Structure formats: C-alpha cells, structure tokens
Amino acid sequence: MSDYGLRGQRALVTGGASGIGRGIVEALAAHGVDVVLTYLSSDAGARETVAVAQSHGVKAYALQADLTDEAAVNHVVSETQRLLGGIDILVANAGGILGRIGTLDLTREIWDNAFALNVTSTFLCCKAVIPGMMTQGSGNIVLMSSQAAFDGGGVGSAYYAATKGAILTYSRGLAKELAPHHIRVNCVAPGLIDTRFHDINTPPDMRAAVRGRIPLGREGTPTDVAGAVIYLTSELGAYLTGETIIINGGQTMY
Ligand code: NAD
C-alpha cells in the first residue's frame, strides 16, 4: 500500500480509543504514522487500539485526559511532543452528544457542557499544537464536524448541531489564519456512522428510519471516515485547506 507521504509523520488523535477515532488511529498507523491517542475512560479500548497500531510497526501510545480541561490538553500536547518528537497531524475527534433534548428541556448547563466538550476542547487542542507546527513550518489539522452542521441534526440535537456548526466555521477561519505557515486545516462531517454514539443516543426505530434514507443503503463505518482523514492529511490532499468532506452515503448532496 502506498503511504501517500504519511510514513514517519507523527499524529495526535483525540478520542482515539473507540468508534471513529479508533478507526482513524488504525488507518494512520497502517500508513506508517506514529500515533498518540487520547481517551477519557476506556482503558481497555485504549490498550487494544495501541496494540493494533503497534502491529503496523509504528510507535503508539495512549494518554488519558479530559479535553475540556486546558491544563490537561496542554499536558497531552507536551507529552505527545516528548514521546513522538513533534506533532505533524492533529485529528480533533473527541466529542459527542449529551442526550437528545429539545430546546425547552435543555438546561443552560447542558448547552455549556456541549460547547465545552465539542468546541472548546477543539479550540484548546488547536491552540496547543499550533506553535510547534509553526516552528516546523508545516502541519495538518482535521476537525470533527457532522452532517448535523448542515441539516440541524435529528430530533433533540439542535444544540449538538450548533456545536458542530461552530467547529466547521472555526476550521475555515483557522485555515486562513494558518495557511501562511503551511498548516492545512480541514473538516470531516460524518452522517450516520455505526459507533456507540448511536448505540447510546439513537432509538432503534429512529436509527432504522435514517438508515432507510441513505442512498448507499447502509450505515457508515469508522473506516469510511478514516479514509477521508488519510486523504486530507496525506499528499493526496496537498491543495486542500478550509475544506469539509461530508461522509454520509449520499444523504445530502450540496
Ligand atoms: P464515541 O463515543 O466512540 O467517541 C467519542 C470519543 O470522545 C470517545 O473516545 C470519548 O472518550 C471521547 N470523549 C468524550 N468526552 C470527552 C472528554 N471530555 N475529554 C476527552 N475525550 C472525550 O463516538 P464516535 O461516533 O466515534 O464519535 C467521535 C466523534 O465523531 C465525535 O466528535 C462525534 O460528535 C462525531 N460524529 C459522530 C457521528 C456518528 O454517527 N457516530 C456522526 C458525526 C460526528
């Protein structure tokens, strides 16, 4: 397999012990990238993912961190730089929905927590890795948006959609800010991807109804999203910045 110029690069993937993040870690490792993944609580998932990554002959480590905590983010970034010698790629994947809750039942606390989890953690990770990338004169950042950023999300997820819209817009502004430093910033926006996100948060009938509207006739997989990340971070995507790739089996065609 061609490594598309990725071999020997060094990546930090947040939320890399499960679901989409795990798929991204495994794909980067398969292309010869040394990886540090972060996880919140899944020690077993972190150990398993590190073992799979190492089986590709790359360095792989896991760090536990709550990425809503600025000190924890800064520690993760400095540890990653120490373990790998630098950071060429950041995939800010960690995040999620805090239940399906309509606006009238949504508390200010849940709104704030959702923005902290998805938007603030993304900003903190970017802020912490950018100085090293500027010094290197190169870097690649991929942020995790969602189809919800385009269509407002399913029932009870307007607040979640708002966080993913903020991430998408931030990626475009950041792309302009960092282009003079040869740092590319892009987004991925998945639709229905088969992970615990939906196992926990999406009722089976709602999930089946969404699945029924997918032109390609199936739910996406973490590997489907990882393919877009390989494209964006490798030499294949060398002329892309400020771009968002929607990965949803054709549900929306903008
Ligand atoms: P997941 O639950 O497997 O992954 C979420 C990850 O975020 C976990 O690894 C978790 O440890 C991490 N995380 C949660 N809170 C954290 C915190 N405070 N600090 C650090 N890490 C934290 O689900 P997933 O589907 O793989 O989700 C990954 C990303 O993809 C999320 O940002 C999610 O919003 C986004 N997304 C998922 C889908 C989907 O259909 N599954 C669609 C669009 C976007």
Side-chain angles (χ1 to χ4, degrees), residues 15 18 20 66-67 93 95 117 160 164 190-191 193 195-198:
S18 65
I20 294 172
D66 179 346
L67 301 175
N93 159 76
L117 171 60
Y160 167 77
K164 293 299 184 178
I193 307 298
T195 70
R196 71 175 179 188
F197 178 105
H198 290 292

Side-chain angles (χ1 to χ4, degrees), residues 177-214:
E177 197 177 319
L178 299 181
H181 300 278
H182 309 287
I183 301 168
R184 295 192 292 111
V185 184
N186 292 289
C187 247
V188 286
L192 174 56
I193 307 298
D194 181 12
T195 70
R196 71 175 179 188
F197 178 105
H198 290 292
D199 297 341
I200 296 169
N201 295 295
T202 309
D205 54 341
M206 184 177 171
R207 187 164 171 168
V210 174
R211 195 186 309 122
R213 293 195 295 271
I214 300 174

Side-chain angles (χ1 to χ4, degrees), residues 57-76:
V58 301
K59 292 182 196 163
Y61 306 91
L63 300 174
Q64 191 281 332
D66 179 346
L67 301 175
T68 63
D69 174 350
E70 185 165 9
V73 171
N74 291 338
H75 177 71
V76 160

Side-chain angles (χ1 to χ4, degrees), residues 141-185:
I141 296 174
V142 178
L143 304 187
M144 181 57 66
S145 183
S146 168
Q147 177 181 324
F150 294 88
D151 68 9
V155 174
S157 60
Y159 75 98
Y160 167 77
T163 68
K164 293 299 184 178
I167 290 170
L168 194 160
T169 306
Y170 179 58
S171 75
R172 293 177 175 166
L174 195 60
K176 288 183 196 167
E177 197 177 319
L178 299 181
H181 300 278
H182 309 287
I183 301 168
R184 295 192 292 111
V185 184

